[in-house]
Amino acid sequence: MSAWQGLLKQYKDFLPVTENTPALSLNEGNTPLIPLERLSEEWGVNIHVKTEGTNPTGSFKDRGMVMAVAKAKEEGSKAIICASTGNTSAAAAAYGTRAGLRTIVVIPEGKIALGKLAQAVMYGAEVFEIQGNFDNALEIVRSISEKEPITLVNSVNPYRIEGQKTAAYEVCEALGKAPDALCIPVGNAGNITAYWKGFKEYHEQHQTGLPNMLGFEAEGAAAIVRGEVVKDPETIATAIRIGNPASWDKAIRVTEESDGRIDMVTDDEIVEAYQLLAKTEGVFAEPASCASLAGLKKQIDSGKIKKGSSVVCVLTGNGLKDPSTAIDKVTVKPTVIPNNEEAFMEHIKGGVVR
Ligand code: F0G
């Protein structure tokens, strides 16, 4: 088997890749699908997680961004722009730089995780913090991209969806078929749209079946669940702090076609899942990602997912993106010890070493 060379090479026959598309890659994709053995046993369903945090910039956004940036370059664009709650800006900055494009990102002031901000500035993007939220930022960059020769790389760009659909291919390849249900966090609803497209295409080729698509918004930003725009969205899961999802209609269609649903989870449920995942399974995903696991738990508790079902939860971003939330949420801090082996032994006796 040849070594993995990134999505545009691996899936060129299924993506809008032409002979003029630049061979852009940071070796994105091919992320692990990990079984959660303990939680599967405890909850009575067969759970795998798709750990998208292992992508080059630490989130699923790399899949869509490699495609969108390669097409922008192919079409002669000199600059890209996006609004972001953090991960899109990190991916845009990395791939924009790699492709030699001017990259402008607009983020909500004070509301993005530290790691994501560090990435955007390190990769050399022009970073603007808007004194408003993500929805305001998206409105502005959409308008600018219509007036100026600059490519919008938010998920309303159809190439983003094309790239992101490859995650569903990988899930089917790893399991040999589609799971009974896919649980996924919902912000702008681009990713749920992309996964569904991927599952449908893969099924057409390989008869792998189709999952029920279960999307989860944060309660304080649950526009789709409530059926109305949330003017001031608020949640600890800053990545999905979005009150007017751009792909709202598409998400509704996905749930109708797949016999799925969009539900919401509270910040407490998100934090519980976030800690449980790390402590019981050794998997550290950012808070927004854990809306998928929190949502699964809620569906199991309410009897909406049958015991014995196979479920894949998408963990969209790496836990290291947001160190502040991790530190804020743990109650047990490191024990400070003197610089002395004997004193240290006294501490761990009866503790670690039993
Ligand atoms: N999980 C994470 C970690 C995200 O960063 C996002 C979106 C989502 C889930 C939701 O995906 O928008 O396709 O429904 N982040 C965008 C950003 C909005 O700017 O990074 P979606």
Side-chain angles (χ1 to χ4, degrees), residues 60-61 84-88 185-191 239-240 242 286 316-317:
F60 72 99
K61 304 286 180 179
S84 181
T85 55
N87 282 323
T88 298
V186 171
N188 241 345
N191 211 25
I240 53 172
I242 295 174
E286 69 170 281
T316 44

Side-chain angles (χ1 to χ4, degrees), residues 10-34:
Q10 186 73 19
Y11 293 118
K12 66 176 183 328
D13 296 340
F14 307 95
L15 294 173
V17 173
T18 71
E19 56 192 22
N20 299 321
T21 310
L24 186 62
S25 172
L26 284 166
N27 264 22
E28 60 291 321
N30 197 22
T31 56
L33 187 73
I34 301 172

